[in-house]
Amino acid sequence: QGYCQDKYRGQLASVHSSARNQELRKLARTYNTFISPWIGAVTSCKAGKWKSYWEDSSPWNYANWAPTQPLHIVTTCTTLSVRDGLWRSRFCLQLRPFICQY
C-alpha cells in the first residue's frame, strides 16, 4: 500500500463487483500467470471481532473469498488469484505484484 501511494499516488485496488473482480484478474494475468497480486483488502481483529476492510476506506460491499478464507489468525492482506479469481489471505510482508488504482 505504501509503495502504491508513494510511487504512483494511488491505492491498492478495492473490488466492489464480480465484473470488476474479473477485469482485475484478466489484467493480472497479462502481467504474470503464476503469482497472484495484492489487492487492497485487509483482515484484522478489531474489538475482538475479525473484520475485512478496504485500505482506501471504501465500503465493504463485495467479497470473493476462496473456501476457508479469510484466515483469522493474524492480520493478513489479500491476493486476487490469477487462476480462479478467488481471494486468499496472505502474510502482508510477502513480495508480490500488486494492482494499484488511481
Side-chain angles (χ1 to χ4, degrees):
Q1 175 71 354
Y3 191 87
C4 192
Q5 289 171 328
D6 294 346
K7 299 294 180 191
Y8 300 105
R9 293 194 173 100
Q11 303 272 347
L12 285 175
S14 55
V15 184
H16 300 285
S17 70
S18 176
R20 175 80 166 151
N21 198 70
Q22 288 309 313
E23 176 187 328
L24 294 178
R25 178 180 170 224
K26 284 181 191 174
L27 175 69
R29 287 179 67 89
T30 65
Y31 176 75
N32 190 312
T33 58
F34 300 106
I35 302 173
S36 298
W38 294 119
I39 57 174
V42 175
T43 302
S44 65
C45 190
K46 294 184 176 188
K49 291 189 178 185
W50 287 96
K51 187 176 180 182
S52 297
Y53 60 91
W54 294 112
E55 294 242 43
D56 67 1
S57 300
S58 61
W60 186 265
N61 56 6
Y62 173 81
N64 196 38
W65 295 110
T68 74
Q69 300 287 319
L71 298 178
H72 292 158
I73 303 167
V74 296
T75 295
T76 55
C77 296
T78 305
T79 60
L80 169 63
S81 172
V82 293
R83 190 181 79 252
D84 58 22
L86 296 174
W87 304 352
R88 290 177 175 82
S89 294
R90 300 285 185 243
F91 295 112
C92 298
L93 296 178
Q94 290 180 355
L95 291 178
R96 293 179 169 270
F98 55 90
I99 302 174
C100 219
Q101 67 186 19
Y102 306 90

